[in-house]
Amino acid sequence: MKRFSLVYIILMMLIIILANIVFFTVKTEIDYWSFASESFIFITFLLIFHNLSELKSNNTIHFILLAGFSFILVSMLMDTLNEVLEHPIFITTFFEDTPQVLGFACIFIAIKKWVEFNGAKTTKLTELSRIDSLTGLFLRRYFLELAQNEFDLYARKKQPFSILMLDLDFFKRVNDQFGHACGDKVLICFAQLMKESLRKTDVVARWGGEEFIVLLPNTRLKEAVEIAKLINMHTRNKKMACETNTITITVSIGVIEMHDEFEHLQTMITQADELLYQAKNNGRDRSEFALSN
């Protein structure tokens, strides 16, 4: 494509030069400085045109840019030849001014589309960096950003919030008995169950493997425990189909509310994790919110 574009533009330029030599006479007085500067500008645009293929990530934008620079190259070549050849006014208007206007209009449109295209691409990449590809939930890193915002809000205004740390019980058995494909389906199904069980303001993320974490903004411990027990019940009653198998699972949950004793967000998360493993040790399929002595 790059070679084709260059051949195309060189042929077009040669035709224009030959036509000018045949139909127009040379000026008696030539401004060689102007001719040199116009030639330099023309060569610069030619080099830009030659490298446009490097930007070909979007066919529409690439085509508009090619059209724009083609118009401008015609205009600049005629402007250069005008320094040495006698051109009638209509030739100057039709082959210099008009292509220049059209060329810059095309380039303006292409740049606008390019900005929009890259903006959409950046947004998509940002989403991909935040979202777990399997479950569609947020990833740990983005969750921590949102949780830190809530932590800072508590420090300023004492607005309460709670965190749930969750882990699927005996998940390894699911992978061993039914295979990793079924294990993945269980994770996807559980992620969907979580979305349906939580409020719109809540934030759920995949913490790693079969472990999940939930941020409950503006939520006291009592309400957080109720939400956790609701998740326990929904998970226990959910029948998940995989191939010819029906799989049931349970989940253990640690529940913690923000208090002044937590100087850092990580301290709060660590205690939620301790409560989660207390739930595991106490029989699983339950929620714990108070550490045993």
Side-chain angles (χ1 to χ4, degrees):
M1 180 65 187
K2 187 173 183 178
R3 182 175 294 179
F4 171 79
S5 299
L6 187 61
V7 170
Y8 147 74
I9 199 66
I10 289 174
L11 285 174
M12 185 175 68
M13 297 300 106
L14 286 174
I15 292 169
I16 292 173
I17 291 170
L18 289 173
N20 273 264
I21 293 172
V22 171
F23 293 106
F24 304 109
T25 58
V26 178
K27 289 183 177 180
T28 54
E29 293 184 7
I30 299 174
D31 186 343
Y32 290 102
W33 174 250
S34 295
F35 177 75
S37 62
E38 296 288 354
S39 299
F40 177 78
I41 295 171
F42 170 76
I43 293 170
T44 302
F45 274 101
L46 186 61
L47 291 172
I48 294 172
F49 183 94
H50 176 59
N51 288 282
L52 281 181
S53 59
E54 302 298 329
L55 300 175
K56 194 179 179 182
S57 57
N58 181 285
N59 288 332
T60 302
I61 296 170
H62 184 250
F63 176 78
I64 296 172
L65 277 173
L66 282 178
F69 276 98
S70 295
F71 282 127
I72 290 177
L73 280 170
V74 170
S75 173
M76 294 307 304
L77 179 59
M78 291 298 292
D79 200 19
T80 302
L81 293 173
N82 192 46
E83 298 296 332
V84 295
L85 299 172
E86 296 285 355
H87 283 157
I89 296 297
F90 80 91
I91 291 293
T92 302
T93 302
F94 190 78
F95 287 101
E96 288 184 38
D97 300 338
T98 303
Q100 194 171 85
V101 171
L102 291 173
F104 280 110
C106 287
I107 290 172
F108 170 79
I109 293 169
I111 291 174
K112 186 173 182 296
K113 287 184 175 292
W114 184 260
V115 170
E116 292 169 355
F117 173 76
N118 278 285
K121 198 172 182 180
T122 301
T123 301
K124 183 66 176 177
L125 289 172
T126 301
E127 288 177 1
L128 289 174
S129 70
R130 293 175 175 176
I131 303 296
D132 175 56
S133 59
L134 178 65
T135 62
L137 300 179
F138 289 129
L139 291 169
R140 176 194 292 221
R141 182 176 178 179
Y142 185 57
F143 175 88
L144 288 173
E145 290 180 22
L146 299 177
Q148 188 62 51
N149 291 339
E150 286 296 319
F151 188 89
D152 295 341
L153 186 61
Y154 177 87
R156 295 195 309 271
K157 299 183 178 180
K158 300 301 178 185
Q159 179 170 301
F161 72 96
S162 298
I163 284 178
L164 310 181
M165 185 69 79
L166 310 90
D167 188 84
L168 299 182
D169 299 324
F170 301 115
F171 184 72
K172 186 177 183 299
R173 291 183 186 176
V174 174
N175 282 330
D176 293 342
Q177 185 175 350
F178 302 105
H180 288 280
C182 284
D184 287 347
K185 286 188 177 181
V186 168
L187 292 173
I188 294 168
C189 189
F190 180 71
Q192 185 59 38
L193 182 149
M194 290 281 285
K195 291 177 183 177
E196 294 170 356
S197 301
L198 296 169
R199 305 163 299 186
K200 290 183 178 179
T201 54
D202 300 330
V203 179
V204 57
R206 188 179 182 189
W207 195 245
E210 67 272 20
E211 198 168 9
F212 300 82
I213 191 167
V214 179
L215 174 66
L216 304 172
N218 201 23
T219 304
R220 294 285 185 185
L221 181 62
K222 182 180 178 181
E223 188 179 1
V225 171
E226 291 174 357
I227 293 171
K229 289 182 177 179
L230 185 67
I231 294 171
N232 280 129
M233 183 184 69
H234 286 173
T235 306
R236 186 184 310 122
N237 296 332
K238 182 72 173 178
K239 290 179 172 53
M240 306 177 189
C242 180
E243 298 174 353
T244 59
N245 305 301
T246 300
I247 304 171
T248 57
I249 58 169
T250 58
V251 63
S252 298
I253 307 174
V255 187
I256 194 75
E257 180 187 354
M258 176 62 189
H259 291 295
D260 291 337
E261 64 190 69
F262 299 131
E263 296 183 0
H264 306 285
L265 175 64
Q266 188 56 51
T267 308
M268 183 182 181
I269 293 174
T270 299
Q271 188 160 324
D273 202 43
E274 291 172 2
L275 286 162
L276 163 63
Y277 281 97
Q278 182 173 292
K280 294 278 189 185
N281 294 331
N282 288 341
R284 295 179 169 82
D285 187 22
R286 58 187 290 122
S287 298
E288 294 283 350
F289 58 90
L291 286 172
S292 301
N293 293 327

